Amino acid sequence: MTNSKYLVPLLALLMLTMFPLVQFFSNQNYIIHLLLYAFFYIIMTSSWNIIGGYGGFISIGHNAFLCVGAYVAGYAAVRYGISPFYLIGLSGLVAGIFGFIVGLITLRVKGPSFIISSIALIMIMRIVFDHWDLVGGASGITLPFNSLPVQWSKLPHYYSFLFLALAAIYLNWYVRHSKFGLALRAVSHDETRSAVAGINVKMIKVTAFALSAFLIGSAGAVWADYLTYIRPNMFLVILIAANIVLMVILGGKGTVTGPIVGTVIFILFNEIILTFFGATELNILLTGLLLVITLLYFPDGIVGSLKNKNILPKFLDWG
Amino acid sequence: MLSIKNVTKRFSGIVAVNDCSFDVEEGTICSLIGPNGAGKSTLFNCVSRVYSIDSGNIFLNNKRIDNLATHKIANLGVGRSFQLTRVLDELSVTENLVLHTASGFNFHLLKRAVTKDDEVKAEQVMEFLGISHLRHSSMKELSYGQKKLLDLGSVLMADPSFILLDEPAAGVNPRLLETILDRISLLKDQGKTILLVEHNMEMVMGISDKVIVMAAGSIIAEGKPSEIQSNKEVLEVYLTG
């Protein structure tokens, strides 16, 4: 670890940690929301990268685990009065166990078959949750608002998401540089070769899937409290998973910093388009164009392509 | 050490391996030869459980292995290379060599991908194979022959007691072939048991303690190299194909 490599990220972290102090001087709730939203997606993209980037399983259904985490926390908040912040771990655990079970079934197949199974998961869960009276069915659950003044009401979510984003980035880095990650990367490219080397292919894949689900589920708890209202059609739509996949591919899947770069660029671009063109269909068109143009010049994503050409800045080169 | 008893493997209507039985004694080099399509690589795949057998049994040191998962057989000390080199281009040279250290499923997987001990052992294996200079090379820079040696190296890193080598001489130049032969002999001197599939007769007859001949899925001859070289049935199979 050289000093210059981590200086920029550490400075950025310091600034992000201190930023909410501007609320003492002026109301920057919108920017706090944007940052918080970026942290939220960094959690999801970094988590997805574990199974999608290193494992090679392109899941278009990972928001299923976000839904599980959100509903665990949301239900407990309404039924037992427990703040979702205390349930981050439990939400993650339930999502992780659910991910483990789903992984045992769906990870038997690869490629297009796996993608279809991940879409099927979303569709099945949508039907189940829409008709599940215990969690409010299609009408969903309304969570209590926090009692903080408007100026400070976002801060618990801001710092929770920041913490979870750091955890997700660290886990992403750890997996990449561990023997577990080595096994996962080998499995993604040649399962037979990996098995012959003694790697327990099934357990590696399923554990990676569960780990990814755990992090996203944890974020779901905080997201539920932030939204204060959760219902199936807010989570169980393919667009959320598609956004995750796009962000990771844009930044560079299979890298540590790729998901972060992709998320920041995607959200920033979206904001610029909204500012100049409003919330129109042009937004979708231009986002698609962004992806196409980026992949033309950066076929392995921005971080991946720069790394391949040996011109990746040190502060983005974490593996 | 390895005992194959009445093993049969079918692919739909085709009998790729037909009721094959033979033993490989510990500390020997046994070669499996035969024309293309004889079932040699299929038999290899049955031993390492890349394919499940349809009937018969396979024993390693008197322990039945035909009902074990591929990774469990590998963890019993069976290493194998593939006919077409299967190094992983997406991993580094060292990572390819230390792949076996990510085997199994327990807390050792939390360790660093390539530890200092791994690096030391990888260096030893690379020296043994004469490829130390490739240590910092990108996989894209490696020639086919170098990848072949790397593949062999990754098998040796696991220190297996039983090694399956599937056409280690295929596609390599004569000088590299000498290196490979030399290393295989050294492995035998170290007490390893080797089952070898090869088409290079000079190599097979020069290095083997026992030769088994397959044709059309069945074993047609078994014996010392000198016996096989004068076996009429073997000559007929190779001349008529």
Side-chain angles (χ1 to χ4, degrees), chain A residues 265-304:
Chain A
I265 290 174
F266 193 95
I267 290 174
L268 214 57
F269 185 80
N270 223 27
E271 281 308 303
I272 293 168
I273 300 300
L274 277 173
T275 304
F276 286 103
F277 300 105
T280 66
E281 283 162 350
L282 197 57
N283 191 329
I284 299 170
L285 173 68
L286 290 171
T287 304
L289 270 175
L290 167 72
L291 191 67
V292 167
I293 291 168
T294 306
L295 290 177
L296 271 173
Y297 293 98
F298 301 94
D300 291 317
I302 293 167
V303 170

Side-chain angles (χ1 to χ4, degrees), chain B residues 32-45:
Chain B
L32 195 54
I33 66 172
N36 290 331
K40 307 182 297 295
S41 292
T42 303
L43 191 56
F44 255 40
N45 284 332

Side-chain angles (χ1 to χ4, degrees), chain B residues 13 30 38 46-47 57 63 69 83 102 118 128 130 140 154 156 166 169 172 179 181 192 202 204 206 212 235 237 240:
Chain B
C30 176
C46 291
V47 172
N57 295 116
K63 181 183 166 68
Q83 186 178 353
D118 293 337
F128 176 74
K140 294 172 199 172
S154 68
L156 299 181
D166 198 345
V172 299
T179 307
L181 276 173
K192 310 287 184 196
E202 199 182 321
V204 164
I212 296 166
L235 291 169
V237 158
T240 57

Side-chain angles (χ1 to χ4, degrees), chain A residues 109-193:
Chain A
V109 296
K110 252 198 126 149
S113 302
F114 175 77
I115 295 171
I116 289 168
S117 73
S118 68
I119 295 170
L121 174 67
I122 294 294
M123 294 167 106
I124 292 167
M125 281 185 65
R126 177 70 184 269
I127 294 168
V128 168
F129 274 76
D130 273 347
H131 294 90
W132 196 0
D133 292 336
L134 182 72
V135 293
S139 303
I141 304 173
T142 302
L143 282 78
F145 284 78
N146 72 42
S147 55
L148 291 171
V150 168
Q151 196 177 2
W152 307 110
S153 63
K154 294 186 189 297
L155 291 204
H157 311 94
Y158 181 93
Y159 285 110
S160 297
F161 277 137
L162 178 57
F163 174 75
L164 287 173
L166 289 173
I169 293 167
Y170 177 71
L171 191 66
N172 200 0
W173 178 88
Y174 191 87
V175 166
R176 171 64 180 81
H177 292 94
S178 67
K179 289 198 186 293
F180 177 81
L182 176 61
L184 184 61
R185 285 184 291 133
V187 164
S188 81
H189 292 109
D190 194 334
E191 288 192 15
T192 302
R193 175 69 185 89

